[in-house]
Amino acid sequence: MAEIGIGLVGGGYMGKAHAVALSAVGTVFDTVLRPRLEVIAATSEASAMRYAKAYGFARAARDWQDLVADPKVQAVVIASPQSTHRAIAEAAFAAGKPVFCEKPLGASLADAKAMVAAAEASGLPNMIGFNYVRTPATQFVRHLLAEGSIGTVTWFRGEHTEDFLADPTMPATWRTTGRANGCMGDLAPHPVNCMLALMGPVAELTARIETVHATRPGPSGPVAVTNDDHAQIMLRFQGGAMGHLYISRTATGRKMGYAYEIHGTKGSIRFDQEDQNAIHLYRAEGPEATRGFTRILTGPSHPDYLAFCQGPGHGTGYQDQIIIEAKDFLHAINSGQPVWPTFRDGLAVSQVIDTAFQASDSGRWHAVPRHEDPMTIRIGNAPCSWGVEFAGDPRNPPWRQVLKDCAAAGYKGIELGPIGFMPEDPEVLSEALADSGLTLIGGVVFRPFHDPAKWDEVMDAATRTCKALVAHGARHLVLIDSISPRRAPTAGRADAAEQMDQAEWSAFRDRIATVARMGAEEYGLTVGIHAHAAGFIDFEPELERLLDEVDDSILKICFDTGHHSYAGFDPVAFMRRHMGRISYMHFKDINPVVKADAIANSTGFYDACGQSIFCNLGQGDVDFPAVRQILLDAGFEGWCTVEQDCDPTLDVSPIDDARKNRAYLQSIGF
């Protein structure tokens, strides 16, 4: 069990909460890292000495600079006024120390951007404190939405309402001066964070931000209030749903009105922080006469509850939320993996709030800018997630519907699919892509490279695909040896698979190299080989042999996490060895139970797809957080495309799966 020295800046309301949490977290969660309360700083050394004695810190610092410089302080928690956040965080990162910062990230959008830049340049763990979203109830709601429990979400209504300034006779204080201290600076970050966590990014919004009480009593008479008392925001989410937020510090009678209601096509969810140990879930199931909202009390089966109490319905409280935050921060430090919400997530909140001020001033709708991860990783999807494997298959959904669904599920890019599925007329497809707000990422040549008799078919598909990609500015040409009857029965079993002799392999390799050279040199594309179950590039030794024999100037790797696992190999280990040659990623997950059964019974690839061998991301055996870290460490730039092959004739909902997969990737930092 290791210790870590903590420096806490601020000893007031939130400072005390963090001191208590840091003292308790090791006992509550049995953390690998145990906080050691080393140094505390406050507005004066005298205050810091008082807090050190009260909270159990080893010493009081003269100021925050003294705290950051102390070699015994190994991580910094910032619980001071927001105007101080930026300077403290930048100094801590420069000193090589992880930072947890209370919300909001900074006193302005510029502060927030600078803090993200400092955090990401340092490569150190960083988190922002949004405690209310950490309740077991709201964590459970995130799971329900990710699983599609209420269907496609159509509406979100959120609020954060309190009444601490409802009385107009309350005197003027620091809270009534300066934009950063107003309702939008103080309360709004919490519901905005909640909204983004539950619903995803906001595409556009309009707002009204107002002061209810223009003056308040001061020592010498009325004092002007220079910030806002309440605000309402209408929103459109990138996933297509509508939404509304109301934030107020003058909501008479409301004490902790952090609440939301979410409507979906199959149900609804309600939550109110004043009853934080319950959610109300409605499912559109069964006879109409017996339908109604069910009150679900939190208990040991809900996230982060059992560590506090073994009794269902006994409940957790405000301080417990801060302890959960402390646990997550320690985990981020110990594991080296980002834990939501990071500083970048805090920047997303600041951007929504800044855009709301602009919209209130203009009286118009405003698009919400997005600040992409400096990794510049973008997430797309592919028609195979809608069951499209062959262009002429009558079971295929309409191509326009696939584009529409892909955009509605929150993706910004899409693959071409098998050539002929989407129009080869550039004008028609360009207009449709633009209407959906999608970028064409690349295309796949899924053809029998192993069969010399089908060479004309391979070249026709490759040439048409290259032309289509170039017409739309797409970059990635992916080559896949399609399923061979000689290999289908042994998918996933390298030791039993038939192998080509040297002559057959050489000719096979040369056919792949010919198309790769054409794509790279004639069309200027980045060409990647993609291992695929039941083809002759299926198992890791075959893939590595091909890479050794074909020049990397014409052939990179399109790495598919799921197919690598299907083949019986470790995708994370392969990525660590070959990241320098991976130019493009396919994100796919594998259900290990279905995989074991398919291998044992020699199940064909498409039959295995019908048995849902490719499950929702995060529910199979692929370690996606580790995949993300490898991409981050390598400075990977470009697209990662989700693929969840399915049988469209079965009871599947590709758009719901696409939403779940996007939500999962967002939850781990993509």
Side-chain angles (χ1 to χ4, degrees):
M1 186 182 302
E3 289 189 342
I4 182 168
I6 302 293
L8 173 62
V9 183
Y13 182 83
M14 289 310 302
K16 180 177 181 179
H18 283 289
V20 172
L22 291 163
S23 297
V25 64
T27 300
V28 174
F29 283 103
D30 192 22
T31 54
V32 175
L33 280 181
R34 297 298 175 100
R36 187 179 66 251
L37 305 187
E38 198 63 52
V39 183
I40 189 167
T43 53
S44 69
E45 188 173 7
S47 293
M49 292 175 67
R50 187 170 64 253
Y51 291 137
K53 181 178 180 181
Y55 304 157
F57 279 82
R59 82 171 184 92
R62 295 186 302 276
D63 49 33
W64 67 258
Q65 291 92 338
D66 178 29
L67 178 148
V68 169
D70 192 312
K72 292 184 179 179
V73 171
Q74 297 164 283
V76 176
V77 175
I78 303 173
S80 51
Q82 55 189 275
S83 59
T84 67
H85 289 184
R86 176 177 174 178
I88 299 169
E90 288 177 336
F93 289 131
K97 300 178 182 185
V99 177
F100 180 99
C101 182
E102 262 303 321
K103 67 81 194 166
L105 196 54
S108 65
L109 181 61
D111 277 1
K113 290 179 179 178
M115 292 171 72
V116 169
E120 293 176 347
S122 75
L124 293 164
N126 57 90
M127 283 184 63
I128 181 169
F130 291 111
N131 56 288
Y132 298 117
V133 80
R134 288 296 211 283
T135 60
T138 291
Q139 290 192 60
F140 180 53
V141 169
R142 291 188 75 188
H143 286 300
L144 290 174
L145 294 175
E147 293 169 356
S149 295
I150 63 170
T152 300
V153 175
T154 58
W155 166 253
F156 173 90
R157 179 190 63 79
E159 66 176 76
H160 189 142
T161 48
E162 301 189 32
D163 68 354
F164 57 86
L165 284 176
D167 184 351
T169 67
M170 290 284 291
T173 69
W174 62 270
R175 289 185 179 276
T176 58
T177 302
R179 172 168 150 170
N181 297 321
C183 184
M184 288 293 287
D186 182 26
L187 298 186
H190 279 301
V192 171
N193 163 258
C194 177
M195 172 186 73
L196 296 176
L198 299 178
M199 299 292 294
V202 176
E204 58 180 350
L205 61 79
T206 188
R208 286 291 182 270
I209 303 171
E210 298 178 351
T211 303
V212 174
H213 304 300
T215 64
R216 289 191 175 272
S220 304
V223 175
V225 174
T226 63
N227 53 30
D228 54 288
D229 286 323
H230 70 170
Q232 58 176 330
I233 308 173
M234 291 179 61
L235 315 113
R236 171 76 69 180
F237 296 97
Q238 288 191 5
M242 294 192 299
H244 182 270
L245 275 184
Y246 178 64
I247 311 101
S248 176
R249 63 189 187 184
T250 56
T252 305
R254 284 297 256 167
K255 306 304 177 185
M256 186 55 244
Y258 175 98
Y260 51 83
E261 183 168 331
I262 308 168
H263 299 169
T265 55
K266 297 179 182 178
S268 296
I269 297 171
R270 295 200 314 254
F271 172 79
D272 190 325
Q273 188 73 23
E274 292 182 354
D275 185 19
Q276 73 167 61
N277 289 292
I279 68 163
H280 296 260
L281 174 64
Y282 179 92
R283 296 183 187 270
E285 300 172 348
E288 182 68 31
T290 60
R291 292 184 184 181
F293 278 93
T294 300
R295 184 170 185 249
I296 300 173
L297 295 176
T298 54
S301 61
H302 296 111
D304 285 334
Y305 182 101
L306 180 59
F308 295 99
C309 182
Q310 298 181 26
H314 288 50
T316 59
Y318 176 84
Q319 183 63 57
D320 300 332
Q321 301 160 26
I322 315 298
I323 296 173
I324 293 169
E325 285 184 327
K327 177 261 296 182
D328 289 342
F329 184 46
L330 293 173
H331 176 71
I333 296 170
N334 185 62
S335 68
Q337 301 293 327
V339 175
W340 180 92
T342 64
F343 275 23
R344 181 159 290 276
D345 299 303
L347 173 59
V349 171
S350 297
Q351 184 65 75
V352 170
I353 291 170
D354 187 79
T355 305
F357 274 109
Q358 295 178 40
S360 184
D361 290 341
S362 71
R364 300 194 306 270
W365 283 82
H366 283 241
V368 178
R370 292 191 67 187
H371 300 279
E372 299 294 340
D373 193 312
M375 294 189 298
T376 60
I377 290 178
R378 290 170 287 176
I379 304 297
N381 213 306
C384 65
S385 297
W386 279 260
V388 179
E389 299 288 346
F390 303 100
D393 193 328
R395 303 173 301 171
N396 289 340
W399 65 272
R400 290 184 186 274
Q401 186 64 47
V402 172
L403 295 184
K404 180 181 177 182
D405 286 357
C406 183
Y411 297 88
K412 291 299 184 182
I414 192 167
E415 283 191 356
L416 185 66
I419 192 69
F421 170 65
M422 292 190 193
E424 293 180 66
D425 182 334
E427 290 188 11
V428 174
L429 184 53
S430 290
E431 182 179 355
L433 288 166
D435 287 345
S436 298
L438 294 173
T439 297
L440 191 67
I441 302 168
V444 174
V445 180
F446 181 64
R447 289 294 190 272
F449 285 85
H450 59 265
D451 188 349
K454 300 291 182 66
W455 178 238
D456 289 344
E457 173 191 332
V458 172
M459 283 300 294
D460 174 69
T463 303
R464 290 164 60 200
T465 301
C466 287
K467 290 178 178 179
L469 298 181
V470 169
H472 298 284
R475 174 186 172 190
H476 294 287
L477 176 67
V478 179
L479 309 183
I480 303 178
D481 183 41
S482 61
I483 294 170
S484 165
R486 295 159 58 191
R487 276 296 189 94
T490 56
R493 293 189 293 138
D495 57 343
E498 179 182 344
Q499 300 294 324
M500 293 177 169
D501 62 27
Q502 182 59 49
E504 186 180 15
W505 168 266
S506 296
F508 171 61
R509 173 204 62 207
D510 290 347
R511 287 190 289 273
I512 293 173
T514 297
V515 175
R517 189 172 300 280
M518 177 184 74
E521 297 181 353
E522 294 182 32
Y523 291 93
L525 299 169
T526 301
V527 185
I529 187 67
H530 179 304
H532 192 287
F536 276 93
I537 301 293
D538 183 356
F539 306 108
E540 196 171 272
E542 296 161 352
L543 176 57
E544 291 181 327
R545 180 182 181 185
L546 182 72
L547 296 173
D548 287 342
E549 297 180 11
V550 179
D551 195 293
D552 67 0
S553 66
I554 61 169
L555 188 66
K556 309 295 185 185
I557 305 169
C558 171
F559 187 65
D560 188 301
T561 56
H563 277 286
H564 210 78
S565 173
Y566 195 156
F569 295 88
D570 181 355
V572 170
F574 182 89
M575 287 182 68
R576 289 197 175 108
R577 295 199 307 275
H578 295 285
M579 193 61 225
R581 200 162 174 178
I582 294 174
S583 58
Y584 182 35
M585 293 289 300
H586 279 177
F587 285 171
K588 192 183 271 102
D589 210 346
I590 292 285
N591 183 319
V593 176
V594 177
K595 178 175 74 172
D597 183 71
I599 292 171
N601 295 301
S602 301
T603 304
F605 175 75
Y606 293 111
D607 289 333
C609 289
Q611 296 170 15
S612 299
I613 191 168
F614 297 120
C615 57
N616 292 136
L617 302 186
Q619 296 183 4
D621 60 12
V622 176
D623 185 352
F624 281 101
V627 168
R628 180 188 182 278
Q629 191 61 45
I630 293 170
L631 295 173
L632 177 64
D633 291 344
F636 180 85
E637 297 183 356
W639 288 95
C640 297
T641 294
V642 174
E643 290 194 335
Q644 188 174 352
D645 304 62
C646 67
D647 185 339
T649 65
L650 299 178
D651 184 20
V652 294
S653 176
I655 188 171
D656 286 342
D657 287 331
R659 290 183 195 276
K660 293 174 189 176
N661 290 331
R662 190 67 192 94
Y664 170 72
L665 291 174
Q666 286 179 326
S667 76
I668 63 170
F670 280 109

